[in-house]
Amino acid sequence: MNTKIDFINGNTKRCLAAMFLPMMVAMFLNMAYNLVDSLWIGNLLGETAYAALTNSTPIILILNSVAMGATNGVSILLSQAIGANEKEKTEKMIMTSLAVAIIFSLGVTILLEVLLKPILVLLHTPNEIMQSAYQYLAIYVLGYLAVYLYCYFTAVLRSFGNSVFQVIAMLICTVLNAVLDPLFIHYLGFKGAAIATVASQSICLIFMLAYLYKKQFFKLHLSYFNKTLVAPFIIKGIPSAFQQSIPAISTSFLTSLVTGFGISALAAYGITGKLETILFYPAMALNMSLTSIVGQCVGGTRYDRAKDYIKLALKYGTVILIIFSALIVCFSNRLSYLFVSSEAAAEIVAVYFKIVGIGYVLNTVTNCFLGSLNGMGKPSKSMLCMVLYYLVIRMPLAWVLSNSLHELNGIWIAVFISHVIAAAAATVVANRELCKQEKRN
């Protein structure tokens, strides 16, 4: 059970590239996967249907964020065990965390099916799109077990230094969704898009399980279950899950604010969210890559290697995001017409990216340091940084500015300010923690 990439002794540039590039490709395939619903719904069913999808998106984001965050917490502990070459402990961790993952995801599914309508009311869902949003989400939630287990197994593979399979799995899922979406929408309408999504996610999970069975990266036996490991997974998983969910919680709150400015504004905010994924996913890929890489380096007490990886990730991430941000800012108006043919929505989208634009470079800096904190086994500190700039800064400031300025730009300004504060806070906290751990060892 050897790691696929030797982060401790290998060439830093090659190792980071071998981990990050497949992760980024997988993220962009995930973006394409998420865009499929938006493109087909916006073009086949119109602005109102797209607004219903936008209103459903915060809940979907929170669900996906919880899955990615909690399983990333698993990756923190696994990476450190693998870096310390503790093979027996690694086997027990995988079996125990898998059992927890299945129970948790099924519990969330049942809870959401019961509470879905009250949640949509809480999001101030307009009456004209309430039924559509409810139907879409009620079907989507049924596939949450598949989503969660997919995130779980990709996190386990990342812990071993394997990020390539995630690209293959996402490619299959994206192609399936692209083929099934127009077919199901044609015959079943708006809810057909949700059915196509659940079907493609389930098939993708089956494909991943077949791959894992063939490659035998690890063994699963019920005897490996160790109840004493449940608490550590919860301790690491809850902060990590909450950390990943905070942006989605913020999006939910901002969606409720934007709703007050009309259907075109709601549709436009949905478009900005889709275009933002182009700018967020490289940062997320670096975050997850550094969680596993720094985790292994810390497990092997090689803090010098951890510092090298962080510096290199910051360099790569900054260059990539400067290029991507410039392209989105320049072409956001035209790109918005790919989703909905609305001049009003396109104008709102263009203004949004002019205000927020440079913030995505800062967001990459933030994610590099947050991923490093996770790898150091400090997801709680990473979580507190997220709480600061999303819940303490962004949400209250967006409410104040939108009400005082009586326009959407107040919300967009709040988003930009929060990116600035985020980068500063994450930089300070991560560097202090790294120095502290280095001195301790």
Side-chain angles (χ1 to χ4, degrees):
M1 192 194 305
N2 296 320
T3 58
K4 298 298 177 182
I5 306 173
D6 187 354
F7 296 121
I8 295 176
N9 300 303
N11 179 275
T12 310
K13 290 183 179 179
R14 283 199 293 268
C15 288
L16 179 60
M19 189 68 175
F20 165 64
L21 292 178
M23 279 290 297
M24 188 167 73
V25 172
M27 289 288 183
F28 278 120
L29 285 172
N30 187 56
M31 176 194 72
Y33 171 79
N34 290 324
L35 285 177
V36 166
D37 280 357
S38 304
L39 292 170
W40 283 121
I41 289 171
N43 285 282
L44 294 179
L45 301 176
E47 187 178 60
T48 301
Y50 193 84
L53 179 64
T54 300
N55 209 87
S56 305
T57 298
I59 296 174
I60 294 171
L61 287 176
I62 290 174
L63 286 173
N64 290 341
S65 298
V66 167
M68 291 173 66
T71 56
N72 208 37
V74 172
S75 182
I76 293 169
L77 293 171
L78 276 178
S79 297
Q80 292 183 355
I82 292 167
N85 201 30
E86 298 174 326
K87 295 182 179 180
E88 183 180 347
K89 184 177 180 181
T90 300
E91 296 278 13
K92 290 180 179 179
M93 281 183 167
I94 292 172
M95 184 64 241
T96 305
S97 58
L98 176 59
V100 172
I102 293 171
I103 294 169
F104 176 75
S105 56
L106 286 175
V108 170
T109 299
I110 295 168
L111 187 64
L112 272 178
E113 290 290 354
V114 173
L115 298 176
L116 205 48
K117 279 198 173 179
I119 292 172
L120 286 171
V121 171
L122 191 64
L123 288 173
H124 301 125
T125 305
N127 291 330
E128 59 264 43
I129 61 174
M130 172 65 81
Q131 188 59 29
S132 295
Y134 174 76
Q135 285 182 344
Y136 184 91
L137 286 169
I139 295 167
Y140 181 90
V141 168
L142 292 175
Y144 190 56
L145 175 64
V147 172
Y148 198 97
L149 290 183
Y150 167 80
C151 290
Y152 170 80
F153 285 119
T154 54
V156 170
L157 288 174
R158 284 198 308 273
S159 300
F160 286 99
N162 183 317
S163 60
V164 175
F165 179 74
Q166 191 170 350
V167 177
I168 301 169
M170 276 311 309
L171 178 60
I172 292 170
C173 202
T174 301
V175 171
L176 280 170
N177 203 33
V179 172
L180 294 176
D181 248 342
L183 183 65
F184 280 52
I185 289 173
H186 177 74
Y187 287 104
L188 300 171
F190 187 58
K191 64 182 180 182
I195 296 172
T197 298
V198 171
S200 60
Q201 288 168 342
S202 300
I203 294 170
C204 185
L205 176 61
I206 292 170
F207 180 73
M208 171 168 278
L209 291 174
Y211 172 82
L212 290 170
Y213 179 78
K214 181 180 179 181
K215 295 295 183 181
Q216 295 289 310
F217 286 103
F218 48 83
K219 296 177 182 178
L220 290 175
H221 292 294
L222 288 176
S223 60
Y224 290 165
F225 180 84
N226 188 334
K227 63 181 181 181
T228 62
L229 293 173
V230 173
F233 281 122
I234 292 174
I235 291 169
K236 298 297 182 186
I238 288 178
S240 186
F242 186 53
Q243 174 191 330
Q244 290 285 349
S245 303
I246 289 171
I249 293 169
S250 171
T251 298
S252 301
F253 179 78
L254 296 190
T255 298
S256 68
L257 293 180
V258 172
T259 299
F261 291 90
I263 293 295
S264 292
L266 188 57
Y269 189 52
I271 294 168
T272 63
K274 298 303 178 184
L275 293 177
E276 272 186 331
T277 57
I278 300 172
L279 307 173
F280 280 146
Y281 279 170
M284 289 173 64
L286 285 168
N287 184 316
M288 291 184 174
S289 297
L290 285 172
T291 295
S292 298
I293 293 170
V294 173
Q296 283 199 26
C297 291
V298 168
T301 63
R302 288 297 304 274
Y303 295 96
D304 56 324
R305 297 285 289 177
K307 288 180 180 179
D308 290 341
Y309 280 115
I310 294 169
K311 290 175 183 177
L312 197 59
L314 287 167
K315 180 180 176 181
Y316 286 169
T318 301
V319 171
I320 291 169
L321 262 295
I322 287 173
I323 296 169
F324 282 12
S325 297
L327 290 172
I328 292 296
V329 170
C330 291
F331 298 104
S332 58
N333 187 290
R334 297 176 193 175
L335 289 170
S336 68
Y337 284 99
L338 293 174
F339 300 91
V340 176
S341 182
S342 169
E343 186 177 341
E347 186 177 342
I348 293 170
V349 170
V351 172
Y352 177 90
F353 283 107
K354 285 178 182 176
I355 293 173
V356 182
I358 194 65
Y360 301 107
V361 178
L362 298 173
N363 178 66
T364 304
V365 173
T366 302
N367 270 276
C368 286
F369 283 117
L370 295 185
S372 302
L373 276 170
N374 289 334
M376 286 181 259
K378 299 294 180 180
S380 57
K381 290 192 175 183
S382 184
M383 179 193 72
L384 289 175
C385 287
M386 300 281 278
V387 168
L388 169 67
Y389 62 84
Y390 274 107
L391 305 186
V392 177
I393 304 296
R394 177 178 294 189
M395 289 169 56
L397 189 60
W399 183 83
V400 170
L401 293 180
S402 65
N403 281 282
S404 61
L405 299 177
H406 302 291
E407 59 179 34
L408 285 167
N409 287 356
I411 301 174
W412 312 156
I413 292 168
V415 170
F416 172 73
I417 291 173
S418 68
H419 279 310
V420 175
I421 294 172
T427 301
V428 171
V429 173
N431 278 298
R432 282 182 178 174
E433 182 59 35
L434 189 60
C435 290
K436 187 188 301 182
Q437 291 200 13
E438 191 175 16
K439 289 177 182 178
R440 193 182 303 144
N441 289 278

